[in-house]
Amino acid sequence: MSKQKTAELRKSVSPYEKADMKASIKQMINTIPPFFILWFLAYQSLEISYLLTLGLGIIAAGFVVRIFIIFHDCCHGSFFKNKKLNNVVGTLSGIVTMFPYEKWKREHSIHHATSGNLDKRGTGDIWVMTVEEYKEASWKERLSYRMYRNPLVMFGLGPIYLFLVTNRFNRKDARKKERKNTYVTNISIVALYTAMILLVGWEAFLLVHAPIMFISGFLGIWLFYVQHQFEDSYFEDESEWDYVKAAVDGSSFYKLPRVLQWVTGNIGYHHVHHLSPRVPNYHLEKAHESTPPLQQATTITMRSSLASIKFRLYDESRKTFVSFNEVKQQIKKEKMSIELRRMQTKSE
C-alpha cells in the first residue's frame, strides 16, 4: 500500500472520530443500569434455582463486556470530547470491570503502536512465538509457551490471573499518576465488594459475582485473541512493519450476530478500531460500511473463529500461523534429513 493510499484510508475514517455526547450517554444508560438490575435479579434467583442464577449471570457478564467497551473507549479518549470526563468515567467503569484505568491505558496504547511488530512484542498483547524462536527455545521455554497457549490455561485460568494478579499490580516503570490510579482502583474494589458482602453475605456474593466476572473475563480474552490470531494475520520485523497494514491486515473483522455485536460494542470491527482508535465504538460500523478498502479486511465468523485455537506459532517464511503438530512434524523431518546426510557422509 503506497503512502498516498495509506493517507487516504486514514483520512476516510476521520469524519467518524468525533464523540457524540448523546450517543455516549445513551450507551451508558442502556449498559450500566441493566447490569446492576441483572445482578440483583441473579441474587434474588438464588432462592429459586442456581441454574437460573447462572443464566442471569451469563447475560450480566455480557453487560460487563459492554461496560468494558466504555472503559476501553475512555482509555483512547474517544468516548467523550472532554478529557477529564473520559478519565472519570474510565476510572469508574474500570472499578466495575476490575481494570486499572491509567495502567491499562498505557499498556493498550503500546499494543496499538506495536501490533504485528515482531521486534516490539510483549506489552498489552497475546504472547506469540515464531517457529524459529520455538525451535531455538529451551525445553523450559517451550513448556511455558505451550502451557500459556493451552485453551484451558488461557481461557480458564487466564481470567482469574488477569483480575487477581495482572490488574492489581503496577509495572516497575509505572509513573506516579499510574500507580496512584491503580491504588485507588484496588481500594475502591475492596470497599465496593466489602459493602456488597455485608449487604448480601459472602456466599451469595461469590455465587452471583464470581461466575459473572469469570465469564466476562473469558469473553474478553477470547475477543482479544481472535481479533489478532487468525491464519494470515500480519506480522513483520521493525524494518518492514507498517501501521496501516498492521491495522487492516493484522486485525480481523469479527462478524457477529446482531445481538452479540451490540453486547460487544462493535469491537468486532477491530480493523477499523486499530486504524483509528479515536473512532467511538458506536461509529465503528458506519466507518466500515462507508470505506470500501476496510471491507476487504479478513472476515471471521463465530464458526470460523474456532479454528484460531489451533494457531499457536507464527511462521515468518510462510506468513501464517501454524499448529504445534505442524512444527513437530517439521522438526522431525529436519532431524531425519540431518541424520540421512550424516549417514551418507559416513558411508563416503
Side-chain angles (χ1 to χ4, degrees), residues 174-188:
R175 296 178 181 177
K176 184 177 179 181
K177 182 180 180 181
E178 185 177 325
R179 291 181 181 279
K180 183 179 178 181
N181 181 266
T182 301
Y183 298 148
V184 169
T185 299
N186 290 343
I187 292 171
S188 298

Side-chain angles (χ1 to χ4, degrees), residues 71 86-96 99 101 181 184-185:
F71 164 86
N86 277 311
N87 291 340
V88 171
V89 173
T91 298
L92 292 177
S93 56
I95 293 170
V96 176
F99 277 80
Y101 177 71
N181 181 266
V184 169
T185 299

Side-chain angles (χ1 to χ4, degrees), residues 37-53:
I37 292 171
L38 284 164
W39 201 102
F40 177 74
L41 292 175
Y43 165 66
Q44 292 292 319
S45 71
L46 286 172
E47 298 181 0
I48 303 173
S49 168
Y50 192 60
L51 287 177
L52 177 58
T53 303

Side-chain angles (χ1 to χ4, degrees), residues 100 102-104 106-108 110 121-125 165-176 178-179 182-183:
E102 293 292 343
K103 177 180 185 291
W104 196 83
R106 182 165 77 104
E107 292 178 355
H108 193 60
I110 294 173
R121 287 165 287 168
T123 301
D125 51 19
V165 181
T166 305
N167 287 353
R168 304 282 65 85
F169 299 96
N170 286 303
R171 295 169 64 92
K172 291 182 179 179
D173 61 346
R175 296 178 181 177
K176 184 177 179 181
E178 185 177 325
R179 291 181 181 279
T182 301
Y183 298 148

